[in-house]
Amino acid sequence: MILKNIPNENREVEIGYGLGKKHEHFGYMTEAVEAFCTWGKKQASVKHIIAETEIDNFSSQRVLQRNGFIEYLGIRQFGGNCNKSQFGLFL
């Protein structure tokens, strides 16, 4: 799990994560994202956490949704095809 940037002028940070296939579906990433969000809530400089997933990565989207993130943006690329989803959590 990584913090992709320091809080910007809008007090947003972006998280990223990945997990080996043999470790998926055990709740590890849900727990890790939860821990990061708990940490983020304690930071005065963080107001919003964002994360981006592939449009068809439903497992990753569920991890975010379980932690209170909402999907709010499909990112358009390559001739208007949407291949990313962006999620956010307001703290």
Side-chain angles (χ1 to χ4, degrees):
M1 181 157 198
I2 62 168
L3 178 63
K4 290 188 174 184
N5 55 7
I6 60 173
N8 64 19
E9 64 277 355
N10 294 323
R11 296 172 43 200
E12 298 172 318
V13 295
E14 183 176 355
I15 60 170
Y17 52 86
L19 193 63
K21 287 278 185 199
K22 69 179 185 177
H23 302 291
E24 292 179 348
H25 307 293
F26 292 102
Y28 301 137
M29 199 50 64
T30 298
E31 187 176 324
V33 170
E34 179 183 18
F36 181 83
C37 293
T38 298
W39 172 85
K41 290 175 184 177
K42 297 176 183 176
Q43 308 308 307
S45 61
V46 178
K47 179 176 126 181
H48 189 213
I49 301 172
I50 58 176
E52 190 176 281
T53 70
E54 296 294 324
I55 197 79
D56 59 352
N57 189 342
F58 303 114
S59 294
S60 186
Q61 293 170 17
R62 281 193 303 275
V63 166
L64 296 170
Q65 291 166 339
R66 284 185 194 115
N67 280 286
F69 285 72
I70 56 166
E71 184 176 11
Y72 64 88
L73 181 65
I75 299 172
R76 308 261 177 231
Q77 296 177 348
F78 309 115
N81 294 326
C82 182
N83 63 356
K84 300 274 186 183
S85 290
Q86 195 170 67
F87 288 74
L89 175 68
F90 288 94
L91 304 177

